[in-house]
Amino acid sequence: MARMSGTRVSIVVFATSFLLGLLFTHWIADSLTLWKPPATDERLWMSATYYSVIAKTPIGFLYLFAFVAIGGGLTILWCLREGEAGNLMFDGGSIFLYASALAVYVHTVLPNLGVNFLTLPESATEIPEPLKRSTLELASSHLVCSVALTGVLALQAGRWWAENNNDPDH
């Protein structure tokens, strides 16, 4: 049973790491809005332009991302099925964080990208207030998703540590 459990955890860690990698690629834009005050119009335009490129991602890539995200979530649920105390604690927390990240992405990030970033205004002298809010909200949502997925990795590492330190063979 430990071999199958290790495979499932590997799938969860892979999917989570893959999604984190996707979110970390947005750091180039997110850092301009969240971590380098003040959020000037120039920085917000650069971020909005980046998000505009992301909003136009070909649908095939989106299907790949969705496949990985759903696969990771289903694998965590599969791990929960064993019903062991460690699984309930670590995988229960993992599924909560994973589902939270997916919910933020599906209900906040994707609609924001689709509504506000498919086309940008021509003028780059002053960023319109709605676009400014959307840009800041997008960066904040990326941060929330990144923190939640990092928590999933921490819980899976905790599960691995707990299982290996309770094993009499080690």
Side-chain angles (χ1 to χ4, degrees):
M1 186 61 109
R3 173 107 171 111
M4 183 55 105
S5 178
T7 302
R8 287 185 292 217
V9 170
S10 295
I11 293 169
V12 171
V13 169
F14 166 79
T16 305
S17 298
F18 179 81
L19 297 173
L20 268 171
L22 291 174
L23 288 166
F24 290 161
T25 61
H26 304 318
W27 178 252
I28 193 168
D30 296 344
S31 68
L32 294 173
T33 58
L34 296 177
W35 306 108
K36 295 181 181 173
T40 63
D41 281 348
E42 179 185 8
R43 288 181 180 161
L44 289 168
W45 271 114
M46 288 183 352
S47 293
T49 303
Y50 173 84
Y51 295 143
S52 178
V53 171
I54 297 302
K56 297 171 187 167
T57 299
I59 194 75
F61 287 116
L62 298 177
Y63 286 134
L64 171 66
F65 304 156
F67 175 77
V68 171
I70 291 168
L74 290 175
T75 304
I76 296 173
L77 288 173
W78 185 16
C79 291
L80 267 174
R81 194 180 67 140
E82 291 175 2
E84 296 175 10
N87 288 1
L88 294 176
M89 181 175 65
F90 291 112
D91 292 333
S94 292
I95 198 65
F96 174 78
L97 291 172
Y98 198 89
S100 297
L102 291 181
V104 168
Y105 205 81
V106 168
H107 293 291
T108 304
V109 173
L110 292 177
N112 193 351
L113 283 170
V115 171
N116 300 307
F117 295 95
L118 285 175
T119 58
L120 293 178
E122 293 294 322
S123 171
T125 56
E126 186 176 318
I127 190 164
E129 192 59 37
L131 186 58
K132 183 184 288 189
R133 277 194 311 274
S134 296
T135 302
L136 292 170
E137 181 180 304
L138 196 52
S140 297
S141 296
H142 285 154
L143 179 62
V144 168
C145 292
S146 295
V147 170
L149 291 174
T150 301
V152 171
L153 290 180
L155 285 169
Q156 293 302 310
R159 175 185 177 183
W160 176 85
W161 184 83
E163 287 176 354
N164 284 324
N165 284 326
N166 289 331
D167 188 0
D169 294 333
H170 282 96

